[in-house]
Amino acid sequence: MDALEFVRVRELDIAVRIWNPDAPRTLIAWHGLARHGGDFAALARELGSEWRILAPDTPGRGLSSWSLFPAHDYLYSHYLTIAIALLDHYQLEQVDWLGTSMGGLLGMLIAADEQHRVRISRLILNDVGPELNKEGLIALSSYFGVTHRFNNFADLKAELTKHYASFGITRDEEWRELALHSARRLPDGSWTYHFDPRIGEQFIHDTPRDTWADWANIRCPIMVIRGETSTLLDAETLLKMAEAQPTLTTLTAAGCGHAPMLNTPEQVTPIRHFLNEPARAYRAAAPSTAVSSSLLSWLTKQWRRWFH
């Protein structure tokens, strides 16, 4: 990280981690549910000095403020407000967006929104889509909805290495760095993760929506990265996504689950190629008739129950 800025949005300070601040091109990189912008250090290194990476910490994570009103602030609608405020702050009329998991869904909502879609030039989703595996969502909400306490840093690192094994990290020094940037001390001297445990309340309070309709409404070039053994984005879902967006670019990250760390040339080189494709007029196809109304109804119910 080359710079760290704090942008005030309403009553919250939003930390924005920046790599290559003077680079000619900008990429917004938004992290997953219980992570922070520091996860994109390797991506910034692999992508190269041509790209300024702006990686915000969502409220309740990393170095950003924790909310006193989780039922109001830990919601996609509020994250969207923050995202647009950051685009305005950095005077980005149009920008490429890469989002892991939650950050990808946020980018998808912006790219599908009638008012704000023009702000997204290209969209890259890292192991996420309009339909998510039910069992994976249950596991996600259960794990991050409670406080995790460890007697010492070694215990935290061991648990983090086990829980995030699907990131595809292979070197111990990378695990140690990830653990150091994911930890904080509690008042009694024990250790816990960096995030506010109340971020899990998003699964209770957020508003249901038809995310397949959002997906079909996106009008910019899209790339989807799926971990080979992802527990959140099923291979069948990716096929349906391609039916609704026929020009979709896809990448399967070998040896990864949810979600690829985007820390190797094998993962980043295709991202660079996608970002370097010439801009062109683009319009998604109409929603596929292969998704029946009964299936859409079932998907909406599952989304309401398990994700919102």
Side-chain angles (χ1 to χ4, degrees), residues 216-233:
N217 283 334
I218 297 174
R219 299 293 183 265
C220 68
I222 318 169
M223 178 180 188
V224 175
I225 302 161
R226 179 182 178 270
E228 182 180 26
T229 58
S230 176
T231 57
L232 206 64
L233 180 61

Side-chain angles (χ1 to χ4, degrees), residues 5-16 57 59 63-68 73 78 81-90:
E5 297 180 358
F6 289 89
V7 180
R8 191 77 171 176
V9 181
R10 296 180 179 175
E11 75 284 1
L12 299 176
D13 279 333
I14 308 302
V16 182
D57 291 351
L63 301 174
S64 287
S65 299
W66 289 20
S67 174
L68 296 176
D73 290 336
H78 191 237
T81 297
I82 290 170
I84 298 303
L86 292 177
L87 295 184
D88 291 343
H89 175 82
Y90 289 102

Side-chain angles (χ1 to χ4, degrees), residues 266-279:
E266 293 76 15
Q267 295 172 17
V268 178
T269 297
I271 292 173
R272 184 187 300 108
H273 287 165
F274 175 77
L275 292 172
N276 286 334
E277 288 180 353

Side-chain angles (χ1 to χ4, degrees), residues 74-146:
Y74 296 159
L75 305 173
Y76 277 105
S77 58
H78 191 237
Y79 300 156
L80 191 148
T81 297
I82 290 170
I84 298 303
L86 292 177
L87 295 184
D88 291 343
H89 175 82
Y90 289 102
Q91 300 180 10
L92 298 169
E93 293 301 319
Q94 281 195 321
V95 70
D96 297 321
W97 182 290
L98 182 153
T100 294
S101 196
M102 181 191 74
L105 288 176
L106 177 58
M108 188 176 81
L109 296 182
I110 298 172
D113 184 84
E114 293 289 344
Q115 179 181 357
H116 300 300
R117 63 171 45 159
V118 296
R119 309 296 290 270
I120 306 296
S121 301
R122 297 175 183 83
L123 177 64
I124 303 173
L125 306 184
N126 184 20
D127 210 59
V128 76
E131 178 185 342
L132 303 177
N133 181 280
K134 181 174 67 175
E135 286 75 18
L137 284 174
I138 294 172
L140 199 67
S141 60
S142 298
Y143 188 82
F144 292 117
V146 298

Side-chain angles (χ1 to χ4, degrees), residues 209-221:
R209 60 186 296 137
D210 186 347
T211 47
W212 276 110
D214 290 325
W215 176 251
N217 283 334
I218 297 174
R219 299 293 183 265
C220 68

